[in-house]
Structure formats: C-alpha cells, structure tokens
Amino acid sequence: MSASANHDHQPHHAVQNWLTTRDPFSAWLGVIVEEVRPGYCRLRLPVRPEMLNGFGMVHGGVTFAAADTAFSIACNTHGRQSVGLTVTIDYLEAGRPGDIITVEATEASLKHRVGVYEVGIRNQDGLRLALFKGTAYRTSTENNPA
C-alpha cells in the first residue's frame, strides 16, 4: 500500500481524481470512490470478465486489492502519511461475474503511530464476500494536498 494524499474533508470526487492521476493501479482496477470522511472510505468495484479466476469467480487478488485501496484512503484521512504494517483477509463467499462489489473501510482504533481498520466487502445483494483488517503505521510526514 502506498501513502496517499490527505483526503480529510475532501469530497469523494477529489479523492477519485487523486486516484486517477496518482494511483495508476487503483485507477486500472476501476474502483469508484463513493464516500470519504475522517477514518472512513466506501468505494465500489464493478466486476469485469478479466477479474475472474479459472473457476469463473472473482479472483481473490482483486478483492484484496479493492480492500487495500479503501484501507489506504481511510487511514490517510488524518493529514499524516500512513502505510500498511499488517493486513489479513478472510474470504467468506465467492464474487461472481457481473457483481458490483462495495468495499467499506472503518477506523476501529487511532493512536499516535498506529491505526487499525476493518474493511467489509459485499456484493450488490449485501452478501458478505470477505473481511479485511489492516494495521497502518502513521508516519510523521504530512500528506501533500491532491
């Protein structure tokens, strides 16, 4: 996960613009930022055919990458560059072709140097596809405005 610009109090379209211009992987993935506020990010990801694995299900790497993007945005909303220390993911259900995945990152704990985030991944029917937990190290470097 790379450090992100300061998204605190910026509308979601400003964060989307930042992703499009400064985060080529997330832009390529096709994440659409829906909401950003301090310690929180919600995005969605339409599943494309090239995101499927050999069994016709959403590749786990796609799910992980979308969750990592939401985690990155949420943990960088407090004005200091934050980077991932540890992340885990539990896959609960398989995503399917045509799904619209919603990824919601919520701050569970924020301390001087460490933040912990819970990220839920669901399909358009509300079916929980995965649970992701991320721990971020908060550097002393200020984020550069987008």
Side-chain angles (χ1 to χ4, degrees), residues 32-63:
I32 301 161
V33 178
E34 293 187 326
E35 184 179 351
V36 177
R37 60 180 188 265
Y40 178 85
C41 174
R42 185 180 69 241
L43 56 83
R44 69 183 151 86
L45 176 67
V47 173
R48 301 185 312 265
E50 64 270 20
M51 295 176 167
L52 304 178
N53 64 20
F55 300 108
M57 298 176 282
V58 175
H59 192 287
V62 170
T63 304

Side-chain angles (χ1 to χ4, degrees), residues 54-111:
F55 300 108
M57 298 176 282
V58 175
H59 192 287
V62 170
T63 304
F64 184 94
D68 191 51
T69 296
F71 165 55
S72 176
I73 293 169
C75 72
N76 276 281
T77 58
H78 298 291
R80 289 172 35 198
Q81 287 183 2
S82 298
V83 295
L85 282 175
T86 304
V87 296
T88 60
I89 192 166
D90 293 314
Y91 297 100
L92 308 174
E93 296 285 341
R96 303 287 180 194
D99 274 353
I100 306 295
I101 296 173
T102 298
V103 184
E104 190 170 28
T106 305
E107 196 169 76
S109 175
L110 182 66
K111 303 295 183 200

